[in-house]
């Protein structure tokens, strides 16, 4: 939000300095982002007197000017048609940068004549669109003085950040009200006189809306006999100061009230309207030609303003090009309406329309100021454009906004930490427009119509505290119940931290994505619960709570690949959502890999990532979190977004699923618009059992085996459907004290193995503890292993 000091003083009677205003703005919650001092930026450009302007000897449209800059006579070659002897203009010396064009001026030759600077136009100074000639200063302007102050361009421009709840401060008057309450002056009264209408409006308005909430109130007024020319200088200067381009008096009036009193308006050229106006929802497929020279196809449900020819305005966002006002406009219809904030926001997001009107409507406008806004705009239209106004056309009614809350006198102290006398509280709230009635122990407070963000006693306390100043709240030490401070992190929080460190140690890069995603993609990853759809998403493609982090990371990998980085290893530890209940949120550690696992190298064969890379990430993380991975079972129970033959579930016992790993299903990749393989793993940290508590904090002593380990290989013939993990688990269970490890090193199908069977070769590592193993010991262990595997899987030892 931008405004100038002089604009602020039209609403605030104050003698406060720039520094005092700047400090007060931030103190009351209107964070100051900067103050632009245009006079300082324009200081090098000074008033100059053209002593002589004669035609260029070698160019018909150029003049060679002798210019008195106040510090000497310089020669300037100028092409402006109004350059003449005896005039006063604005001189830009060599070495300066022209603000409007960014051009660095240098002394040089133009058609053989020396030119040592430039006589500039308003557009070249960045102060308007006038480029028909150079700036023509008043005859009494002193030579050598910076021109900015003489033309009123020395007005400081404030820029502040407005939080979404403070829609009332999107107008200069709202800012002035807060500053007045903070003691920086007095708020000037805003008297809005009723302008009588001289005739009945020929343009009618009717609603064909399914609900009154789409547009509770629409006020219009017809004007005739207008002369729509350029705006007066004061109005054009105000708009230019905040970065808006003056267009015409009628359009500029709407922009002025948008920023002055936070009251967006719209003007239709009534001569271009076909019949009356109808407000109705779009059915879908209609095409709307907007004022920004773009066309929009309606999706259905948008609030449209139509005439007999079709859509003429997208309610609360932008008017149409077919009914826009121009210099030929002689009759106009003024729109002052109240549109539903949520519907305006959703329409703007869907069509990606950003406008000053949308920015205000979607935050909520003052429902009681619609009529006053129409009267104030009517007065200015008649003053600047002449003509005659009709009687107002009012459709709908002002929605109910009045409400009241109890404010206990001691709540500022007990809730906010600052003891404010009751009289001071009443004074602050009254200055902000609240209505108070005394009651036992406090007040009954009615918020003003422009403060839709106030919903209870806590908000009233906040209003008092921000005006009194948060700096006035005394610092108080937090009480400590014990001599030692409590643990800063809970076990769950420590597990999240440890998981991030472990995954980073595996070479993955942490990513932080939105907790939302596109609903059309979410349904491919288990997102089928309609209760997880967002009612008011921040973006049209972020409208569903993510059921998995995999699609967000896969999309990040796709964007990286599109930019020439196909080899990705990303992880994120964060929440995933299954339902809106208390147990519907889980903390997941998710990894995604794409591209090459081993790049091209003379010493090793290249290969792309596969499901086993994802499995390795999952097992490594579980081991780092203190879980014995030998106790895990791998089952073919991965959800549908994983490839059915290249994925698995990690289970602890028959029921506890710790997570999933594998390659993503081609249909899931298609939904994400990904054309290359993606492998992923997702572990649920809250499903991993906590490590068993050990006595004391001292680490156990390291136990190293003193005897050589022994390895024995076995080849088992099993049915094709038997998982290798089942063979390993059975082998390890044969003698848990002696068997230190088991791993698969070969799988064979072919000659010597019956159809429907496979040969799985397993390496068993035996670690003796108290004595060297004899042949008899080894034979006994081998017999146990074969028997255990045969019993569990039906395997036979391959001959």
């Amino acid at each position: 939000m931008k405004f100038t000091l002089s604009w602020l003083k039209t609403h605030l009677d104050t003698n406060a300095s720039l520094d005092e205003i700047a400090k007060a703005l931030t103190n009351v919650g209107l964070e100051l982002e900067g103050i632009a001092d245009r006079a300082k930026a324009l200081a090098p450009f000074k008033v100059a007197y053209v002593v002589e302007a004669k035609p260029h000897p070698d160019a018909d449209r150029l003049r060679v000017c002798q210019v008195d800059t106040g510090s000497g006579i310089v020669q300037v070659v100028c092409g402006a048609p109004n350059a003449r002897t005896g005039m006063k203009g604005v001189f830009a010396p060599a070495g300066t940068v022209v603000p409007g064009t960014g051009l660095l001026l240098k002394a040089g030759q133009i058609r053989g004549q020396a030119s040592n600077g430039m006589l500039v136009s308003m557009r070249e100074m960045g102060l308007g669109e006038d480029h028909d000639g150079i700036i023509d200063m008043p005859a009494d302007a002193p030579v050598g003085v910076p021109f900015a102050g003489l033309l009123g361009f020395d007005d400081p421009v404030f820029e502040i950040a407005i939080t979404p709840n403070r829609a009332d401060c999107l107008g200069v008057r709202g800012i002035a009200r807060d500053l007045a309450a903070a003691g920086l002056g007095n708020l000037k009264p805003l008297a809005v006189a009723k302008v009588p209408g001289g005739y009945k409006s020929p343009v009618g308005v009717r609603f064909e809306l399914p609900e009154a909430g789409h547009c509770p109130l629409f006020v219009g007024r017809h004007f005739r006999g207008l002369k729509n020319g350029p705006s007066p200088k004061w109005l054009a200067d105000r708009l230019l100061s905040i970065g808006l381009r003056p267009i015409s008096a009628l359009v500029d009036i709407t922009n002025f009230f948008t920023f002055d009193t936070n009251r967006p308006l719209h003007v239709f050229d009534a001569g271009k309207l076909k019949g009356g106006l109808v407000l109705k929802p779009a059915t879908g497929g209609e095409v709307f030609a907007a004022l920004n020279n773009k066309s929009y196809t309606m999706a259905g449900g948008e609030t449209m303003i139509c005439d007999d020819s079709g859509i003429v305005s997208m309610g609360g966002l932008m008017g149409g090009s077919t009914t826009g006002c121009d210099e030929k406009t002689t009759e106009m219809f003024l729109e002052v309406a109240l549109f539903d904030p949520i519907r305006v926001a959703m329409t703007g997001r869907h069509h990606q329309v950003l406008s000053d009107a949308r920015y205000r409507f979607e935050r909520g406008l003052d429902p009681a100021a619609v009529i006053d806004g129409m009267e104030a705009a009517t007065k200015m239209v008649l003053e600047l454009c002449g003509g005659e106004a009709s009687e107002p056309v009012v459709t709908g009614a002002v929605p109910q906004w009045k409400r009241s809350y109890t404010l206990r006198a001691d709540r500022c102290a007990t809730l906010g930490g600052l003891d404010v006398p009751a009289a001071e509280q009443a004074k602050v709230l009254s200055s902000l427009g609240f209505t108070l009635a005394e009651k036992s122990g406090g007040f009954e407070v009615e918020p003003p119509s422009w403060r839709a963000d106030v919903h209870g006693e806590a908000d009233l306390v906040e209003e008092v505290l921000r005006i009194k100043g948060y700096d006035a709240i005394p610092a108080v030490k937090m009480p400590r119940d014990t001599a030692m401070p409590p643990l800063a992190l809970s076990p769950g929080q420590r597990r999240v931290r440890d998981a991030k460190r472990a995954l980073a140690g595996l070479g993955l890069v942490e990513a932080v994505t939105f907790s939302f995603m596109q609903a059309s993609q979410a349904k491919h990853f288990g997102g089928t619960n309609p209760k997880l759809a967002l009612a008011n998403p921040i973006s049209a493609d972020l409208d569903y709570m993510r059921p998995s982090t995999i699609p967000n990371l896969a999309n990040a990998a796709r964007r990286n690949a599109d930019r020439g980085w196909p080899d990705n290893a990303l992880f994120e530890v964060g929440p995933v959502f299954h339902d809106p209940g208390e147990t519907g949120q889980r903390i997941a550690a998710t990894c995604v890999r794409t591209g090459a696992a081993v790049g091209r190298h003379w010493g090793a064969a290249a290969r792309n990532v596969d499901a086993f890379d994802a499995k390795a990430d999952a097992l490594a993380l579980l081991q780092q979190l203190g879980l014995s991975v030998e106790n895990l079972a791998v089952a073919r129970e991965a959800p549908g977004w994983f490839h059915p033959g290249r994925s698995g579930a990690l289970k602890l016992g028959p029921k506890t699923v710790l997570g999933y790993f594998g390659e993503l299903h081609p249909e899931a990749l298609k939904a994400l618009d990904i054309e290359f393989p993606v492998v992923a793993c997702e572990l649920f940290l809250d499903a991993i059992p906590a490590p068993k508590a050990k006595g004391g904090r001292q680490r156990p002593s390291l136990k190293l085996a003193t005897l050589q380990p022994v390895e024995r290989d076995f080849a088992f013939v099993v049915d094709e459907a038997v998982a290798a993990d089942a063979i390993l688990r059975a082998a390890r269970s044969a003698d848990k004290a002696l068997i230190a490890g088991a791993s698969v090193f070969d799988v064979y199908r072919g000659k010597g193995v019956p159809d429907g069977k496979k040969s799985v070769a397993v390496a068993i590592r035996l670690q003796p503890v108290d004595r060297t193993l004899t042949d008899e010991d080894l034979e006994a262990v081998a017999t146990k292993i074969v028997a255990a595997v045969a019993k569990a899987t039906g395997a036979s030892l391959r001959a």
Side-chain angles (χ1 to χ4, degrees):
M1 174 66 188
K2 291 183 178 180
F3 60 94
T4 63
L5 179 60
S6 63
W7 197 341
L8 177 67
K9 287 185 176 181
T10 62
H11 294 281
L12 182 68
D13 186 5
T14 182
N15 294 318
S17 65
L18 279 180
D19 290 340
E20 289 173 333
I21 294 174
K23 183 178 179 180
L25 285 169
T26 299
N27 285 347
V28 299
L30 307 176
E31 184 180 357
L32 180 69
E33 293 194 332
I35 301 177
D37 189 352
R38 293 187 296 172
K40 183 178 180 181
L42 298 175
F45 307 99
K46 301 179 179 180
V47 178
Y49 177 71
V50 180
V51 178
E52 181 185 35
K54 60 183 181 180
H56 192 291
D58 298 321
D60 295 338
R61 297 186 178 182
L62 298 179
R63 288 178 172 80
V64 179
C65 303
Q66 302 299 320
V67 179
D68 181 3
T69 66
S71 57
I73 304 293
V74 297
Q75 181 169 295
V76 175
V77 176
C78 181
N82 63 332
R84 63 191 185 278
T85 300
M87 74 169 294
K88 290 183 178 179
V90 177
F91 174 69
T96 58
V97 176
V98 180
T101 63
L103 175 68
L104 174 63
L105 294 180
K106 298 179 181 179
Q109 298 279 327
I110 299 178
R111 294 285 184 94
Q113 296 291 321
S115 184
N116 298 290
M118 184 178 183
L119 293 169
V120 295
S121 66
M122 292 294 283
R123 191 170 77 177
E124 288 160 340
M125 286 290 93
L127 300 174
E129 293 299 313
D130 185 4
H131 195 55
D132 295 334
I134 57 177
I135 299 173
D136 201 339
M137 296 294 292
D140 59 350
V143 175
V145 173
F147 86 102
L150 300 176
L151 296 185
F153 294 117
D154 56 347
D155 199 3
V157 179
F158 294 85
E159 183 172 3
I160 60 176
I162 304 294
T163 54
N165 63 314
R166 292 304 308 277
D168 60 302
C169 287
L170 289 173
V172 178
R173 184 161 184 84
I175 298 167
R177 184 186 296 109
D178 270 18
L179 292 176
L184 262 70
N186 297 312
L187 185 67
K188 295 181 180 180
L190 184 64
V192 180
K194 183 178 180 180
V195 179
Y199 60 96
K200 185 176 180 180
S201 171
V203 178
V205 178
R206 74 177 191 273
F207 287 172
E208 293 183 4
L209 298 169
E211 298 177 15
H214 288 205
C215 181
L217 178 61
F218 187 106
V219 178
R221 199 162 206 170
H222 185 270
F223 295 79
R224 63 190 180 189
L226 301 175
K227 184 178 181 181
N228 185 28
S231 295
K233 184 177 183 302
W234 70 266
L235 179 54
D237 288 348
R238 290 228 176 126
L239 298 181
L240 284 169
S241 68
I242 60 174
L244 295 181
R245 178 175 62 90
I247 299 173
S248 67
L250 290 177
V251 176
D252 294 349
I253 288 170
T254 66
N255 288 331
F256 170 76
F257 281 105
T258 297
F259 285 87
D260 187 61
T261 57
N262 189 31
R263 180 58 263 176
L265 311 171
H266 182 63
V267 288
F268 299 93
D269 187 324
K272 299 176 183 178
L273 289 173
K274 309 298 182 184
L277 297 180
V278 181
L279 276 74
K280 58 184 178 180
T283 58
E286 304 98 326
V287 177
F288 169 58
L291 283 170
N292 59 0
N293 296 321
K294 295 182 180 180
S295 293
Y296 300 92
T297 301
M298 298 299 103
E302 300 95 333
T303 301
M304 298 290 101
I305 303 175
C306 308
D307 66 0
D308 294 344
S309 66
I311 302 173
V312 294
S313 180
M314 197 184 306
L317 284 94
M318 188 172 293
S321 60
T322 59
T323 56
C325 293
D326 53 31
E327 67 278 359
K328 297 180 182 179
T329 298
T330 59
E331 57 175 323
M332 176 269 288
F333 189 77
L334 173 67
E335 168 208 318
V336 190
L338 199 62
F339 293 103
D340 175 42
I342 294 178
R343 191 162 297 276
V344 169
M346 293 178 66
T347 302
R349 289 170 186 170
H350 178 79
H351 295 288
Q352 297 183 351
V353 174
L354 296 175
S355 65
D356 292 322
R358 171 195 163 181
Y359 192 81
R360 286 157 173 79
F361 275 115
E362 67 185 3
R363 284 159 173 77
L365 296 180
D366 181 358
V370 179
I371 300 294
D372 284 350
M374 180 270 299
E375 298 290 0
T378 298
K379 181 175 181 292
M380 186 173 290
V381 168
L382 297 178
E383 288 177 351
L384 302 186
C385 302
E388 183 183 7
S390 75
E391 297 172 355
V393 179
V394 180
T395 308
V398 177
Q400 173 60 36
W401 57 267
K402 292 188 177 183
R403 61 204 184 279
S404 64
Y405 306 102
T406 298
L407 174 62
R408 289 165 285 179
D410 63 344
R411 286 302 276 163
C412 284
T414 58
L415 185 61
L418 181 64
D419 189 5
V420 181
E424 282 293 311
Q425 297 180 39
K427 180 181 178 182
V428 167
L429 293 173
S430 297
S431 64
L432 291 173
F434 292 76
T435 303
L436 290 85
E438 290 190 21
K439 60 184 298 185
S440 178
F443 306 95
E444 190 68 20
V445 184
E446 181 182 292
S449 57
W450 57 82
R451 291 303 302 272
D453 59 307
V454 176
H455 297 290
E457 186 180 36
D459 292 333
L460 298 174
V461 171
E462 180 187 4
E463 291 300 300
V464 174
L465 293 183
R466 72 180 182 87
I467 297 300
K468 296 300 292 183
Y470 292 119
D471 292 341
I473 300 175
V476 179
K477 292 184 178 180
M478 297 293 289
R480 179 177 291 179
D481 298 330
T482 63
M484 295 298 293
L487 294 175
L489 298 177
S490 67
Q493 291 171 326
R494 287 199 299 272
R495 175 166 287 179
V496 169
R497 179 199 62 189
D498 294 342
K500 291 182 178 181
R501 290 179 176 177
L503 293 173
L506 294 175
L508 291 102
V509 178
E510 184 177 11
V512 180
T513 66
F514 282 110
S515 293
F516 324 118
M517 61 179 299
Q518 193 170 341
S520 60
Q521 295 181 353
K523 67 181 182 181
H524 293 276
F525 292 85
T528 57
N529 190 336
K531 294 182 179 180
L532 294 180
L534 300 179
N536 189 21
I538 62 174
S539 175
D541 57 353
L542 295 172
D543 56 348
Y544 195 90
M545 302 298 291
R546 65 183 184 192
S548 169
T549 319
I550 292 175
N552 285 2
L553 292 179
N555 280 325
R558 173 181 53 79
R559 289 190 291 269
N560 290 345
D562 291 344
R563 289 159 177 77
W565 194 265
D567 304 333
N568 294 278
L570 305 175
F571 80 88
E572 180 173 2
V573 181
V576 295
F577 308 89
H578 301 288
D579 63 68
E582 294 182 1
T583 60
Q585 175 177 325
R586 307 187 74 178
I587 300 298
T590 307
C591 309
V592 163
R593 290 184 183 269
T594 65
V598 179
R600 294 192 300 175
H601 191 269
W602 59 268
R607 72 171 181 86
N608 288 332
V609 293
D610 56 29
F612 295 104
D613 293 305
K615 180 181 179 182
D617 289 335
L619 294 178
L621 175 57
L622 290 171
Q623 196 164 19
Q624 287 290 327
L625 295 178
L627 189 69
S628 176
V629 296
E630 286 80 9
N631 298 327
L632 296 179
V634 179
R636 295 179 178 178
E637 299 176 7
W641 52 90
F642 283 100
H643 193 296
R646 302 171 189 172
S647 60
L650 295 173
K651 302 180 69 176
L652 187 63
K655 295 183 179 181
T656 305
V657 177
L658 302 183
Y660 307 103
F661 68 88
E663 184 176 323
L664 294 191
H665 196 287
E667 288 297 326
L669 294 178
K670 183 179 179 181
L672 300 176
D673 195 24
I674 295 177
E675 299 178 351
F676 48 83
V678 177
V679 300
C681 68
E682 190 160 52
L683 299 178
F684 304 111
L685 299 187
D686 46 7
I688 302 172
K692 293 182 180 180
K694 300 177 180 179
R697 299 177 60 87
Q698 187 175 358
R699 290 184 179 181
S701 60
L702 178 64
K703 295 180 180 180
L704 295 176
T706 59
L707 300 174
Q708 287 287 343
V710 178
E711 283 199 3
R712 286 292 183 265
D713 297 340
F714 300 84
F716 295 102
V717 177
V718 296
D719 290 339
E720 189 68 52
V722 175
D725 181 68
I727 299 174
L728 295 179
R729 289 172 60 83
R732 282 195 292 262
S733 67
D735 191 332
K736 294 182 179 180
L738 190 58
I739 298 175
S743 61
V744 176
F745 65 87
D746 185 48
V747 178
Y748 172 75
R749 301 173 182 86
K751 186 177 180 181
V753 177
D755 291 341
K757 301 282 188 178
K758 61 183 176 183
S759 173
V760 180
V762 179
I764 304 296
R765 181 183 176 88
L766 305 174
Q767 180 60 63
V769 178
D770 53 2
R771 63 185 179 85
T772 302
L773 298 177
T774 64
D775 290 342
E776 291 77 9
D777 296 330
L778 295 175
E779 186 64 28
V781 172
T783 301
K784 290 181 181 179
I785 292 172
V786 173
V789 174
K791 181 179 180 181
T793 66
S796 61
L797 199 61
R798 183 180 174 190

